[in-house]
Amino acid sequence: MSVDIDSLYPVSDEQVARFARDGFIRLKNVFDAETLDYYGRAITGQTVALNTQTLPLEERSTYDKAFLQVMNLWEQGGRPREFVFGRKLAGIAAALLQVDGVRLYHDQSLYKEPGGGITPAHADQYYWPVASDRTITAWVPLQAVPQDMGPLAFFAGSQHVEFGRDLGISDESEAKITADMEHHGFPIVDGPFDLGEVSFHLGWTFHRAGPNRSHDPRSVMTVIYMDRDMVLKAPENTQQQNDWERWCPGATVGQVIDTPLNPVLFEA
Ligand SMILES: O=C(O)CCC(=O)C(=O)O
């Protein structure tokens, strides 16, 4: 058995420039099939075991229909922890952010059930009490994602748009952000993911996903990284206050977020 989550994946200057322009990038062949199978089984298994959602799909809110969501799997130890601590993804994150190192904000497993609904348009950083825009999510499908399974889709270049930054993920964010993006001509990049392909997006890039119309679950692991030197800002909404307590307890406003839950995962 040979799995690889630690080797360095070369990121070219052209890819760094494209990421800076578009606010996201999709990279092929980041992981091989064996590695995804080895870690994917453990991550999906833990997700199903730890899931607390018991309502049938038709009785849930739009957000709860989008996916089963289990956060900070790494704290369970084992393969999920190994995967989140892998240097390959973290190295790509640092290269794309153009920073000397990255630390963990949190991870989350996003499991879109067969019949699961849309992921409404939103920007992640609305939820995060962080002082700069140097945040990035690695979105790692644990199987290929054909179009009918609801791949992640990005509004290219939208990381600079201020409209919609005060909207949490909801029916309202879906309606208002998609309309605003269309109005201002930000194209949506929406297409299937090959096995081994991984996307990276900035915290302020607007994104969404379609429903899962297939008969198979869309199992995805995400790792959210921030600049190693990221400073905690005073929360601007209840969600940011909650995130402070949950993902970086003990961090101090105005100082680097350096808590046991935010280990440095890569340094150049
Ligand atoms: O997986 C999805 O459908 C949404 C993912 C997402 O919004 C994120 O990782 O920031």
Side-chain angles (χ1 to χ4, degrees), residues 66-67 108-112 117-120 122-124 128 137-140 149-154 169 199 201-202 205 207-210 218 220-224:
F67 34 64
Q108 56 183 343
S109 168
L110 299 171
Y111 181 97
K112 206 184 264 296
I118 64 160
T119 306
H122 67 284
D124 305 327
W128 302 342
T137 298
W139 192 83
V140 187
M149 214 183 238
L152 197 58
F154 307 91
I169 183 168
S199 68
H201 62 272
L202 284 169
T205 303
H207 54 285
R208 71 181 300 284
R218 190 216 69 180
V220 169
M221 183 59 172
T222 67
V223 186
I224 304 165

